Amino acid sequence: NLPIDVTKEEIHDLYSRCGPIESVEVFNLRPELDPGKLTGSKLIERRKKKRKSGGSMADFRKLGGRERTPTYGAIKFRTLAGYKTATIDSLRIFGMVVRFHPIRTIRARDVTSLFMEGIPSGHASIDMEHKISKVLHPDIYACVDLGQNDYAELKSCQIKFPTFEVANHAYRLLQDIDFGNEEFTLNWMRTRENAMAYWTRELGFDP
């Protein structure tokens, strides 16, 4: 639930209080779509537009006032003590607030899925299974479960792994997969359906 224009330095400054940090990664940043901070008049204009289009502000109140943004991050600590401090119950359950965004820590062991999104048309599930398995071979075999229809086209898929360590290994290998499509992404969290409205600040508030 990070701000859509968050920086690695900003995250580093916040979490370095927990312990020395080795690296910070930020996912789902789309700066090319971001028009920049909105002025007060622009915010009012977009709120009016949202009301006219039938948009509800009710969902806005989730996560302490707003929905989860599509942007998230991963931090690698240099010490086990730093990791343990960053994943204490208070930071996992209540979290902290970053620029009005309530953010929570998720333990590495609780992250065991990858999400392949923006898969271009023409890729049947059976072809995807072969393509993924080829990249992961011989370490991991992937099975795409879509019931009886082996030739259904995939727009996205979730790959589940037994542990974070296996998922992380697969993530590194899958960086090499190529669909010839700039829209394809590999994520640790499922991207919101209305992510574009966040990246373009069309929601009537500054995400």
Side-chain angles (χ1 to χ4, degrees):
N1 190 39
L2 293 169
I4 62 166
D5 58 354
V6 72
T7 64
K8 290 182 180 181
E9 291 73 24
E10 195 172 357
I11 297 172
H12 187 284
D13 289 346
L14 285 167
Y15 280 92
S16 59
R17 305 170 192 171
C18 299
I21 292 173
E22 183 172 317
S23 63
V24 176
E25 289 185 81
V26 182
F27 300 86
N28 263 347
L29 284 175
R30 296 292 298 273
E32 74 279 9
L33 299 174
D34 185 3
K37 292 287 185 184
L38 302 177
T39 63
S41 59
K42 280 286 185 183
L43 283 171
I44 293 171
E45 179 184 324
R46 296 198 179 192
R47 284 171 189 161
K48 287 180 179 178
K49 184 179 176 182
K50 185 177 178 69
R51 290 192 200 100
K52 287 180 181 178
S53 65
S56 170
M57 299 299 281
D59 290 337
F60 214 45
R61 301 183 179 89
K62 296 176 183 177
L63 276 175
R66 54 181 72 206
E67 295 179 328
R68 177 177 65 81
T69 74
T71 306
Y72 62 98
I75 303 169
K76 185 176 182 179
F77 287 91
R78 292 180 183 170
T79 64
L80 181 60
Y83 168 78
K84 287 183 174 179
T85 301
T87 55
I88 59 175
D89 288 347
S90 60
L91 288 179
R92 289 192 300 108
I93 298 170
F94 303 108
M96 65 173 77
V97 177
V98 179
R99 286 198 261 148
F100 302 105
H101 289 250
I103 62 172
R104 300 188 183 102
T105 303
I106 301 174
R107 296 174 298 196
R109 71 181 189 221
D110 296 327
V111 182
T112 57
S113 289
L114 292 174
F115 298 88
M116 301 180 73
E117 301 171 322
I119 299 170
S121 60
H123 287 82
S125 58
I126 193 168
D127 297 328
M128 280 296 300
E129 183 175 291
H130 174 72
K131 195 175 185 76
I132 295 168
S133 295
K134 187 176 179 180
V135 174
L136 299 180
H137 180 80
D139 300 334
I140 305 167
Y141 176 73
C143 178
V144 177
D145 183 11
L146 280 183
Q148 301 294 319
N149 193 351
D150 288 340
Y151 294 95
E153 284 197 6
L154 289 175
K155 296 295 183 185
S156 64
C157 68
Q158 177 182 4
I159 312 173
K160 298 179 180 179
F161 300 92
T163 65
F164 168 74
E165 288 74 19
V166 178
N168 192 46
H169 180 56
Y171 178 80
R172 302 304 169 190
L173 293 175
L174 288 169
Q175 296 298 308
D176 295 330
I177 203 164
D178 181 21
F179 288 103
N181 175 18
E182 292 183 358
E183 294 302 313
F184 171 74
T185 58
L186 181 66
N187 277 300
W188 288 100
M189 299 183 73
R190 192 188 303 276
T191 303
R192 298 188 57 87
E193 289 185 6
N194 63 343
M196 189 61 71
Y198 278 88
W199 291 321
T200 56
R201 301 182 188 260
E202 291 290 340
L203 290 170
F205 64 92
D206 242 338

